[in-house]
């Protein structure tokens, strides 16, 4: 894929995150504004109740994909900007980041879906 | 066709990490570039740990054990700093995306005395990022430290 497309996807992921990370932070950190009790939000009952709702499954799966892509692509940009990095090292970094991305994706998606299916 | 030899006569760019951490006495936008990267890397590190921690939500005793662990010592303060960093990163990210696509750019003026600095025309966006970050982090801090008593 062209580098400019990957970069546009990085910015696009940021825009999607404004919505889904906004919902996540809205619930977890500023929930008082929408009537959610801050002292309850991390109890097992509350976590389990959210895990069973399709709305949160969609929000968390989306957040998982876009945050992993945006964050790992950002790390790659920073590493590639160091001028001493040659092409073999670049290919190795690409491979490691792609593997890490898929690894964390499968782990996170498993936790989200297993929580939903009970 | 023969091309002229276009070898660079300047030093190769080998400044590496120190080069982007300290570029010289530039404006505040240049310093925010470092902050954007540092908060981005901090939030990425947190995201990966957060995925492992919240993966324990499938079983009540594992969840309660892990929540007890992350509530010890200075960890809640660290968690709040990640929240503050992420809020700044997201809001500054909106500013950066607008600049990237040219929306906040001003027309440069002719270099006639008294000189004008086109970059100052978008300074209001930097102040807006600071104010919005302070408001959201301030409210989050109230919930985190006062309501939830961390
Ligand atoms: C609403 C949420 C977010 C928005 C709007 C956003 C936006 C941005 C923008 C616009 C950039 C600069 C890209 C460029 O100039 O080329 C950036 C960089 C970065 N972001 Fe985010 N971001 C968000 C959340 C996150 C999260 C959750 C992470 C970590 C998982 C993250 C990690 C990074 C990293 C590591 C960079 C550095 C890339 C570089 O300097 O080239 N961001 N972000």
């Amino acid at each position: 894929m062209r580098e400019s497309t990957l970069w546009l996807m990085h910015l696009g992921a940021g825009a999607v995150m404004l919505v889904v990370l906004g919902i996540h932070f809205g619930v977890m950190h500023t929930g008082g504004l929408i009537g959610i009790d801050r002292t309850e939000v991390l109890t097992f009952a509350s976590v389990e109740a959210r895990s069973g709702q399709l709305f949160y499954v969609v929000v968390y799966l989306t957040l998982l994909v876009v945050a992993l892509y945006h964050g790992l692509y950002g790390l790659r940009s920073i590493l590639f900007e160091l001028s001493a990095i040659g092409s073999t090292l670049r290919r190795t970094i690409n491979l490691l980041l792609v593997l890490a991305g898929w690894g964390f994706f499968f782990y996170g998606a498993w936790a989200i879906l297993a929580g939903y299916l009970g | 066709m023969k091309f002229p030899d276009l070898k660079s006569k300047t030093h190769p760019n080998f400044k590496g990490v120190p080069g982007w951490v300290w570029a010289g006495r530039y404006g505040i936008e240049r310093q925010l570039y470092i902050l954007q990267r540092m908060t981005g890397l901090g939030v990425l590190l947190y995201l990966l740990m957060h995925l492992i921690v919240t993966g324990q939500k499938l079983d009540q005793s594992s969840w309660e054990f892990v929540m007890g662990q992350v509530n010890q010592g200075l960890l809640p303060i660290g968690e709040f700093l990640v929240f503050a960093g992420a809020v700044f990163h997201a809001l500054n990210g909106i500013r950066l995306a607008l600049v990237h696509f040219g929306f906040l750019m001003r027309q440069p003026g002719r270099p006639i005395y008294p000189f004008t600095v086109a970059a100052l025309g978008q300074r209001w966006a930097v102040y807006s990022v600071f104010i919005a970050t302070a408001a959201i982090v301030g409210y989050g801090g109230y919930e985190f430290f006062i309501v939830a008593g961390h």
Side-chain angles (χ1 to χ4, degrees):
Chain A
M1 212 180 276
R2 279 164 59 182
E3 198 56 49
S4 54
T5 313
L6 293 174
W7 177 75
L8 264 183
M9 283 164 58
H10 174 71
L11 288 196
V16 175
M17 258 193 290
L18 279 178
V19 179
V20 282
L21 193 63
I23 294 173
H24 184 51
F25 274 10
V27 171
M28 305 307 289
H29 297 283
T30 55
L33 293 175
I34 47 172
I36 297 174
D37 186 351
R38 181 66 172 84
T39 49
E40 295 289 309
V41 84
L42 283 176
T43 58
F44 183 72
S46 167
V47 172
E48 199 180 30
R50 278 195 302 277
S51 299
Q53 293 173 35
L54 189 60
F55 171 75
Y56 284 105
V57 172
V58 174
V59 167
Y60 287 143
L61 275 178
T62 312
L63 183 55
L64 179 68
V65 174
V66 291
L68 278 174
Y69 177 77
H70 180 93
L72 293 174
Y73 179 84
L75 173 61
R76 175 181 174 272
S77 303
I78 293 173
L79 293 174
F80 278 21
E81 223 178 270
L82 302 172
S83 37
I85 286 191
S87 64
T88 315
L89 197 50
R90 273 166 200 257
R91 267 197 293 273
T92 316
I93 290 172
N94 274 344
L95 182 72
L96 289 177
L97 292 181
V98 167
L99 286 177
W102 280 110
F104 278 100
F105 169 74
F106 281 123
Y107 178 73
W110 163 77
I112 294 167
L113 292 176
Y116 179 62
L117 299 172
Chain B
M1 189 176 159
K2 210 166 169 265
F3 288 101
D5 184 9
L6 288 178
K7 244 190 211 144
S8 163
K9 292 200 172 67
T10 56
H11 294 293
N13 173 20
F14 262 52
K15 278 192 164 175
V17 176
W20 60 257
V21 173
W22 178 247
R25 291 178 58 220
Y26 281 91
I28 192 165
E29 286 85 357
R30 176 60 175 78
Q31 317 303 331
L32 291 188
Y33 155 81
I34 307 295
L35 204 54
Q36 182 73 2
R37 287 199 152 175
M38 279 168 30
T39 51
L41 289 179
V43 176
L44 174 63
L45 183 66
Y46 179 79
L47 169 72
L48 303 181
M49 297 188 305
H50 188 60
L51 284 175
I52 295 169
V53 167
T54 51
Q56 309 304 314
K57 70 173 183 172
L58 298 174
D59 167 60
Q60 181 159 7
S61 57
S62 315
W63 177 257
E64 279 160 7
F65 171 74
V66 85
M67 281 297 113
Q69 295 291 308
V70 296
N71 264 323
Q72 280 175 11
L74 290 177
L75 286 180
I77 311 268
E79 193 191 359
F80 185 74
L81 285 179
V82 174
F83 166 67
V87 171
F88 165 79
H89 182 97
L91 296 174
N92 191 48
I94 299 177
R95 182 186 71 82
L96 283 176
L98 292 174
V99 174
H100 281 323
F101 293 110
F103 292 113
L104 298 179
M105 303 298 254
R106 289 291 155 90
Q107 204 71 33
R110 288 183 180 280
I112 299 170
Y113 190 81
F115 306 118
T116 55
V117 182
L120 290 181
Q122 40 161 299
R123 202 41 71 78
W124 64 270
V126 171
Y127 297 137
S128 309
V129 168
F130 287 156
I131 293 169
T133 304
I136 297 176
V137 172
Y139 183 76
Y142 161 75
E143 281 210 2
F144 194 81
F145 294 110
I146 315 261
V147 179
H150 279 296

